[in-house]
Amino acid sequence: MADLLDWLRNHSFVLSWLAVFSVIAFVGTLAAIPALVVRIPQDYFLHDRRPPSGSSNDGSLKHLFLTGLKNVVGILFVLAGVAMLVLPGQGLLTILIGLMLMNFPGKYALQRTLISQKTVLSAVNRLRIRAGRPPIVIS
């Protein structure tokens, strides 16, 4: 027990920054998650394959930059969501949003698996109903 107390005293700076990050992440997800969840189309998860997004891949530098930026933001959301599994925040929803932002093979199947979880779907649909949007429908 004395070793633990010594470790806590020696690492108080790191623990303070973890506490600050936890509060910022918690407040950030309170604002960002609902805003992103209400933008998901109601029928997005009804298809066997990912529905077309409507954006074109023209191969321009601007498109590559924006895709890279979107992936970096997605990775940050996933990492924050994993941290929120033990810190205050909406961990599973944050991970889901991060995965939705990223581009990788098998992404749509993973999203469908996650949203099919009763707790995730009910949380997402509660947020959508509060925002006046219809609930997400899954097959």
Side-chain angles (χ1 to χ4, degrees):
M1 188 65 163
D3 290 337
L4 177 61
L5 291 175
D6 287 338
W7 187 88
L8 290 173
R9 277 189 216 107
N10 292 335
H11 294 89
S12 62
F13 181 76
V14 172
L15 294 172
S16 298
W17 276 106
L18 280 174
V20 168
F21 170 75
S22 176
V23 169
I24 290 171
F26 179 72
V27 171
T29 59
L30 288 178
I33 298 300
L36 294 171
V37 164
V38 298
R39 297 191 62 184
I40 302 169
Q42 178 186 15
D43 62 347
Y44 183 80
F45 295 104
L46 285 179
H47 312 282
D48 290 333
R49 303 184 79 160
R50 182 176 177 256
S53 65
S55 65
S56 64
N57 181 358
D58 59 5
S60 68
L61 187 59
K62 177 183 174 185
H63 177 77
L64 291 174
F65 175 76
L66 292 176
T67 300
L69 181 63
K70 185 178 74 126
N71 282 309
V72 168
V73 170
I75 290 168
L76 291 175
F77 266 82
V78 169
L79 293 174
V82 169
M84 282 181 240
L85 294 175
V86 294
L87 300 170
Q90 303 170 358
L92 290 176
L93 288 175
T94 305
I95 291 170
L96 180 65
I97 296 300
L99 291 173
M100 290 182 82
L101 289 171
M102 295 167 38
N103 296 337
F104 58 89
K107 171 180 137 176
Y108 184 68
L110 178 61
Q111 289 173 337
R112 284 184 59 169
T113 301
L114 286 174
I115 199 76
S116 296
Q117 304 299 312
K118 261 187 195 177
T119 54
V120 175
L121 183 61
S122 65
V124 165
N125 282 337
R126 271 195 312 272
L127 288 172
R128 291 176 61 84
I129 290 168
R130 273 193 226 137
R133 299 284 306 231
I136 287 183
V137 181
I138 59 172
S139 55

